[in-house]
């Protein structure tokens, strides 16, 4: 479906309360349809007529929908309603002020131009898992009976959470990715990149240079424990950067002459996985083969060198992670030396001395680490410090259980719409509720409008 924001400005605080706090969103965890009496009771509005009026308003603009031939009277949240809740959250956080035209559409997402309150342009990505894959499973009653609508919205949220987590980790570690701004429900806001997809580039003077950069980028990702999983011409943007020409590279050019450098920007991370994944080698080889096949077909360029291979990338990881921490060694030796030199002092004096030395060394270590990380972001070589971003992302909130659920969904229904969908979503309501409850409650509390409940 397309994003339609015409009715966004006309919704009242009571409408938002019915849409958010009345469990029309969160109630989808435990109900295929949220019963109308439950909506009225949990909306917190005095008198049932006000809640019913809000329900009617929301249904007219297709934010909620009533299912025909249902066993009881109730409503379900639509993708349009989920879009409004996400946009409302971004608006309250002063992230978005307006939305513009759609600039891209993918298999499972849409991209729109947006503007912040300061006027800066950003890109809004809306995940819509199930939109295309629904065509291949809509006649499968077993799958539809297991809360397909709620499952797709939940999986869209998981995809957005995962992409934002990886996007943040990669950006902070110097990788060429858009700058992340915010994430809410199934949407995320990021920097707007002025560039073209690689698939739209018809010719270039030196394709071997870009080919080398892309292969090096695949190795750098694996060097921090990650595999993109869909590294191809559709998920690489080419940005033209103006750089001054050096006299060594081009002696005939004057020092003031500048050249155009093609910089690849990597996008789309919902399918990103760890190098410890059971099928890591298959995904790694597929990423490499996709780039080789595209450059051979489009630019008639074929590399003479084989690979790269995942085994080489894993060796790079093991070498970097096994490197000793020089600051920790110096700090430990200094603390031990301070303790030996003050052995004749009292026990309390030794402890205080060690704490002071340790504190000073830790400050020096943190300061040096920050400077190294800043230099790494500028040079794009953060992997030399032995970071495992797959482990860090898991620790930041996107758990291994969430990754397994998202991977299972993509495998069953197919990201490209080619899945058979026979297995369906066999998670119980309690399992879904446990996985969603924390995010639902925190986002719903932020989105609740302040209204006077005692008003008539």
């Amino acid at each position: 479906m397309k994003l339609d924001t015409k009715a966004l400005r006309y919704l009242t605080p009571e409408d938002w309360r019915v849409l958010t706090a009345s469990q029309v969103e969160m109630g989808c965890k435990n109900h295929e349809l949220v019963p109308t009496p439950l909506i009225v009771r949990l909306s917190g509005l005095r008198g049932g007529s006000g809640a019913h009026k809000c329900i009617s308003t929301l249904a007219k603009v297709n934010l909620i929908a009533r299912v025909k031939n249902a066993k009881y009277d109730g409503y379900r949240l639509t993708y349009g309603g989920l879009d409004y809740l996400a946009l409302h959250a971004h608006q309250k956080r002063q992230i978005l002020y307006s939305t513009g035209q759609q600039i891209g559409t993918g298999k499972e997402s849409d991209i729109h131009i947006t503007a912040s309150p300061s006027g800066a342009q950003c890109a809004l990505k809306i995940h819509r898992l199930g939109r295309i894959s629904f065509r291949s499973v809509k006649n499968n009653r077993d799958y539809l009976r297991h809360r397909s609508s709620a499952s797709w919205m939940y999986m869209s949220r998981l995809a957005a959470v995962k992409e934002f987590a990886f996007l943040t980790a990669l950006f902070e570690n110097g990788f060429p990715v858009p700058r992340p701004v915010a994430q809410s429900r199934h949407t995320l806001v990021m920097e707007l990149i002025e560039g073209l997809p690689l698939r739209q580039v018809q010719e270039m003077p030196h394709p071997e240079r870009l080919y080398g950069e892309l292969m090096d980028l695949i190795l750098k990702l694996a060097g921090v424990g990650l595999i993109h999983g869909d590294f191809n011409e559709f998920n690489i943007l080419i940005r033209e950067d103006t750089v001054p020409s050096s006299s060594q590279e081009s002696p005939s050019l004057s020092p003031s002459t500048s050249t155009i450098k093609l910089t690849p920007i990597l996008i789309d991370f919902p399918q990103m996985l760890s190098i410890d994944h059971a099928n890591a080698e298959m995904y790694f080889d597929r990423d490499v083969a996709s780039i080789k096949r595209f450059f051979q077909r489009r630019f008639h360029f074929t590399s003479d060198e084989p690979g790269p291979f995942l085994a080489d990338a894993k060796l790079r990881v093991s070498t970097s992670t096994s490197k000793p921490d020089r600051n920790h060694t110096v700090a430990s030796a200094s603390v031990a030396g301070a303790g030996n030199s003050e052995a004749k002092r009292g026990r309390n004096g030794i402890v205080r001395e060690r704490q002071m030395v340790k504190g000073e060394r830790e400050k020096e270590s943190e300061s040096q680490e920050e400077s190294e990380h800043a230099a790494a972001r500028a040079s794009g070589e953060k992997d030399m410090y032995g970071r495992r971003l797959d482990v860090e992302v898991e620790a930041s909130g996107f758990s291994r259980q969430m990754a397994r659920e998202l991977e299972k969904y993509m495998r069953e229904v197919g990201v490209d719409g080619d899945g058979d969908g026979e297995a369906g979503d066999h998670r119980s309501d309690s399992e879904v509720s446990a996985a969603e409850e924390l995010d639902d409650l925190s986002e719903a509390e932020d989105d609740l409008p302040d209204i006077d409940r005692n008003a008539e």
Side-chain angles (χ1 to χ4, degrees):
M1 62 166 295
K2 294 183 179 180
L3 179 64
D4 185 4
T5 60
K6 294 180 181 178
L8 185 65
R9 67 179 67 183
Y10 301 110
L11 296 185
T12 64
E14 290 79 7
D15 294 332
W16 287 112
R17 191 167 192 88
V18 170
L19 187 61
T20 305
S22 66
Q23 300 286 319
V24 170
E25 177 188 18
M26 292 184 292
C28 290
K29 302 192 307 289
N30 302 319
H31 301 86
E32 177 69 23
L33 300 176
V34 185
T36 303
L38 182 63
I39 297 176
V40 175
R41 179 167 59 87
L42 297 178
S43 63
L45 301 178
R46 180 180 292 273
S49 59
H52 282 286
K53 182 180 179 181
C54 294
I55 291 175
S56 177
T57 301
L58 297 174
K60 286 180 181 178
V61 292
N62 296 323
L63 302 185
I64 58 177
R66 175 181 288 174
V67 178
K68 296 181 180 180
N69 301 325
K71 295 181 179 180
Y72 55 88
D73 181 37
Y75 292 84
R76 64 174 178 85
L77 183 69
T78 65
Y79 255 130
L82 194 63
D83 292 344
Y84 271 47
L85 288 170
L87 292 176
H88 186 62
H90 289 310
Q91 190 178 30
K92 288 189 65 176
R93 297 166 188 167
Q94 300 296 314
I95 301 297
L96 297 183
Y97 178 77
S98 62
T99 59
Q101 64 181 355
Q102 179 176 318
I103 59 175
T105 180
K107 299 182 295 292
E108 302 290 342
S109 62
D110 295 330
I111 309 294
H112 292 261
I113 293 180
T114 61
S116 65
S118 62
Q121 287 190 340
C122 298
L124 173 68
K125 182 172 184 178
I126 306 176
H127 287 270
R128 301 197 187 280
L129 271 68
R131 175 180 58 188
I132 296 179
S133 57
F134 178 75
R135 299 172 185 171
S136 62
V137 298
K138 62 181 179 181
N139 295 323
N140 191 323
R141 293 188 178 182
D142 291 338
Y143 185 78
L144 293 178
R145 189 169 63 240
H146 290 282
R147 304 165 50 259
S148 60
S149 176
S151 174
W152 288 340
M153 292 182 184
Y154 174 62
M155 292 303 167
S156 296
R157 177 184 304 212
L158 281 189
V161 171
K162 178 179 181 179
E163 180 163 16
F164 187 78
F166 279 108
L167 186 63
T168 302
L170 291 172
F171 179 80
E172 292 178 350
N173 286 271
F175 284 88
V177 297
R179 177 179 57 87
V181 178
Q183 181 267 327
S184 176
R185 292 176 174 85
H186 65 314
T187 67
L188 60 122
V189 182
M190 68 187 83
E191 173 190 7
L192 180 64
I193 300 296
E194 298 292 340
L196 290 176
L198 180 58
R199 63 182 177 86
Q200 296 183 6
V201 179
Q202 299 299 325
E203 59 181 12
M204 62 177 60
H206 300 285
E208 67 277 2
R209 296 181 182 177
L210 181 60
Y211 174 86
E213 289 185 19
L214 294 178
M215 290 301 173
D216 189 52
L217 182 56
I218 293 178
L219 286 175
K220 284 183 178 180
L221 286 172
V224 293
L226 297 175
I227 298 175
H228 187 274
D230 199 13
F231 199 96
N232 54 45
E233 63 272 19
F234 295 93
N235 294 325
I236 299 173
L237 300 179
I238 301 300
R239 184 181 62 194
E240 294 184 351
D241 294 334
T242 303
V243 295
S245 300
S246 62
S247 58
Q248 296 179 355
E249 296 179 357
S250 303
S252 60
L253 297 178
S254 61
S256 60
T257 305
S258 59
T259 59
I260 302 297
K261 182 181 182 299
L262 300 181
T263 303
I265 306 296
L266 192 59
I267 60 173
D268 197 17
F269 308 100
Q271 69 289 325
M272 183 166 277
L273 47 91
S274 169
I275 59 174
D276 297 330
H277 191 274
N279 299 323
E281 187 171 3
M282 183 271 291
Y283 286 109
F284 184 89
D285 294 341
R286 189 177 70 176
D287 287 350
V288 173
S290 297
I291 297 301
K292 288 187 174 183
R293 184 171 55 253
F294 174 77
F295 272 77
Q296 183 178 8
R297 183 179 67 250
R298 178 64 58 83
F299 307 117
H300 306 288
F301 171 79
T302 303
S303 176
D304 297 332
E305 298 182 0
F309 303 102
L310 182 60
D312 300 333
K314 285 187 174 181
L315 182 62
R316 188 187 221 179
V317 174
S318 61
T319 302
S320 60
T321 53
S322 61
K323 184 170 60 178
D325 191 345
R326 181 178 59 84
N327 294 326
H328 179 72
T329 304
V330 173
S332 301
S334 302
V335 173
N340 292 333
S341 62
E342 302 295 337
K344 294 184 180 181
R345 298 183 183 180
R347 180 179 180 183
N348 294 334
I350 295 176
V351 172
R352 285 195 299 269
E353 185 72 18
R354 288 181 176 178
Q355 291 176 346
M356 293 177 61
V357 175
K358 184 177 180 180
E360 294 176 357
R361 295 297 181 183
E362 287 179 349
K363 290 181 180 179
E364 294 178 0
S365 176
E366 291 177 357
S367 177
Q368 183 174 357
E369 184 178 0
E370 289 179 358
S371 61
E372 289 176 347
H373 290 180
R377 284 193 294 268
S379 62
E381 297 180 353
K382 183 61 178 264
D383 56 322
M384 68 175 62
Y385 299 107
R387 302 287 293 273
R388 285 293 299 266
L389 297 187
D390 53 339
V391 178
E392 293 183 11
V393 169
E394 180 181 343
S396 68
F398 188 80
S399 64
R400 191 172 301 177
Q401 177 185 358
M402 297 167 70
R404 284 197 300 266
E405 291 180 352
L406 183 59
E407 182 181 357
K408 177 183 176 183
Y409 169 83
M410 291 184 172
R411 182 175 63 251
E412 289 174 352
V413 302
V415 177
D416 298 326
D418 54 356
D420 52 16
E422 294 179 356
D425 185 6
H426 297 294
R427 293 176 298 126
S428 64
D429 290 332
S430 59
E431 290 174 333
V432 178
S433 178
E436 292 185 85
E437 187 169 2
L438 182 59
D439 289 340
D440 284 334
L441 290 177
S442 60
E443 291 186 350
E445 289 176 358
D446 292 340
D447 297 341
L448 287 180
D450 296 329
I451 63 174
D452 188 2
R453 295 190 181 183
N454 296 323
E456 294 293 339

